[in-house]
Amino acid sequence: MSKALGKRKPANASTARTGAHDWQLQTAKAKFSEVFRLARTEGPQRITRQGKEGVVMISDEQYDRLMVKSHQPKSIVQFFRESPLVGIDLDLERDKDTGRDLEL
């Protein structure tokens, strides 16, 4: 860990899993450009205040991907309920299938 990066916490299990780096709020404010650059190049940057409250800085590309995923239906039932075709009267009747004749 470089001194130029401020007082970043060492990687832990959640950091390794998400790729996020932890910053104290005061350090993140003082090194905002560095935090911004790392969010764009290395991934999410977690910023905490007094080790508790936190926010995560991510690139706009990551944000766009997350927003697309959040708008995807959770189930096929939800998909059809939210379909723009809801309420359209469809004729779903079909001719009765009487089977076919087989020679045995």
Side-chain angles (χ1 to χ4, degrees):
M1 177 169 56
S2 166
K3 287 185 180 182
L5 296 178
K7 295 181 180 179
R8 288 177 25 187
K9 294 180 184 176
N12 58 29
S14 67
T15 300
R17 189 172 58 248
T18 63
H21 297 285
D22 291 342
W23 296 82
Q24 294 177 9
L25 178 60
Q26 290 299 92
T27 305
K29 284 165 59 173
K31 301 197 177 278
F32 182 79
S33 293
E34 182 71 9
V35 177
F36 180 90
R37 184 186 68 74
L38 290 170
R40 303 253 339 128
T41 60
E42 292 186 19
Q45 302 296 305
R46 182 176 292 115
I47 303 166
T48 60
R49 181 169 55 185
Q50 298 175 350
K52 296 179 184 176
E53 301 169 338
V55 297
V56 177
M57 181 186 288
I58 60 174
S59 69
D60 55 347
E61 294 89 0
Q62 287 179 309
Y63 177 78
D64 289 341
R65 282 193 305 271
L66 288 172
M67 293 311 297
V68 167
K69 287 181 183 178
S70 73
H71 292 323
Q72 291 179 346
K74 293 180 176 40
S75 70
I76 190 139
V77 173
Q78 181 184 2
F79 171 79
F80 284 113
R81 283 184 181 151
E82 296 175 358
S83 168
L85 301 176
V86 168
I88 292 179
D89 189 26
L90 298 176
D91 180 15
L92 299 176
E93 290 187 32
R94 63 182 192 161
D95 294 334
K96 184 177 180 181
D97 184 5
T98 59
R100 56 187 171 164
D101 293 330
L102 295 176
E103 288 185 34
L104 298 175

